[in-house]
Amino acid sequence: MTATNARPTARDTGIGGAARDERPGPGAGSDAAQHDTVASVVRQWRAVHPELDTGPMEVIGRINRCAALLQQAEDAPLRRAGLSRAEFDLLGALRRTGHELTPGELAKETFSSGAAVTKRIKQLTERGLVERRGDTRDRRVAHLRLTDTGRDLVDGILPEQLAYETAVLSVLAPEGQGELAVLLADLLSRLEGRMGALRA
């Protein structure tokens, strides 16, 4: 993937703003973890602030770096279909829920802002992939659903997209993928319950 040559961003280097002593980090058992981009960033921060703990950076920095690389690599099947990941997520939400959704419900389903959903819906409607129906009781409310063309597009892309993602993850052994999925699920579940309090 060409994205492996991408340089670290401010997001990669700014997590925690911390460094720590020479105790082994979360990735200390892996040779690869000692030579990735974040490992280099951590060593630099240790030199600047040896009294601080870089543990959070070693986890969050790597999550951010992986996300950045995946975004830069882009999703080949989606790109060929002329869709962004955000647009596909919106179409996918309409397909997997199996019923009409309002723009507000779509925003929650796709973790997007209302403005972003409105813009994407307009584009997808113009392409004939989504159609809207006005609410009979409240004209301000719209109900959205896939057209037949939109449903066929999602069903056609999904197997190819999953095969692409399988190829991306093939750098990890199947057991490693399972362990990572469990850890990320646990982290996500806890963050979803706590992020509101952290922002306060």
Side-chain angles (χ1 to χ4, degrees):
M1 255 180 283
T2 57
T4 55
N5 296 323
R7 296 178 181 177
T9 64
R11 180 180 296 178
D12 301 321
T13 59
I15 299 299
R20 62 174 182 160
D21 58 28
E22 293 302 318
R23 291 173 297 168
S30 166
D31 290 339
Q34 301 309 300
H35 297 91
D36 66 10
T37 306
V38 174
S40 176
V41 170
V42 167
R43 286 193 294 270
Q44 292 168 352
W45 276 119
R46 285 177 180 172
V48 175
H49 285 296
E51 77 283 4
L52 298 179
D53 183 359
T54 57
M57 184 186 296
E58 295 186 53
V59 176
I60 298 175
R62 287 187 171 106
I63 290 174
N64 284 337
R65 179 63 172 164
C66 286
L69 288 172
L70 289 171
Q71 290 170 358
Q72 291 173 27
E74 298 183 348
D75 298 305
L78 302 184
R79 188 171 66 251
R80 286 194 292 271
L83 292 172
S84 67
R85 163 61 73 168
E87 290 171 334
F88 182 72
D89 286 345
L90 193 152
L91 294 174
L94 289 171
R95 180 68 174 114
R96 60 184 163 78
T97 57
H99 55 78
E100 295 179 342
L101 296 173
T102 66
E105 291 168 337
L106 269 176
K108 292 180 180 179
E109 285 285 341
T110 58
F111 305 100
S112 303
S113 69
V117 167
T118 298
K119 180 179 178 180
R120 291 167 194 149
I121 285 295
K122 182 176 184 296
Q123 295 169 339
L124 294 171
T125 299
E126 290 173 351
R127 292 182 58 182
L129 302 176
V130 173
E131 60 186 7
R132 62 173 63 228
R133 176 182 63 82
D135 191 285
T136 56
R137 291 174 296 182
D138 188 343
R139 296 176 62 183
R140 296 170 298 178
V141 177
H143 298 274
L144 306 166
R145 62 187 176 190
L146 292 178
T147 62
D148 290 343
T149 300
R151 184 179 63 253
D152 290 345
L153 179 64
V154 172
D155 289 349
I157 290 176
L158 186 58
E160 188 178 359
Q161 180 65 22
L162 288 173
Y164 170 79
E165 293 176 355
T166 297
V168 170
L169 291 175
S170 65
V171 295
L172 293 177
E175 59 270 21
Q177 294 181 35
E179 292 170 3
L180 180 59
V182 170
L183 288 172
L184 289 175
D186 186 37
L187 175 62
L188 179 59
S189 175
R190 294 171 186 270
L191 287 179
E192 286 178 337
R194 293 186 57 197
M195 286 308 291
L198 290 175
R199 292 192 191 101

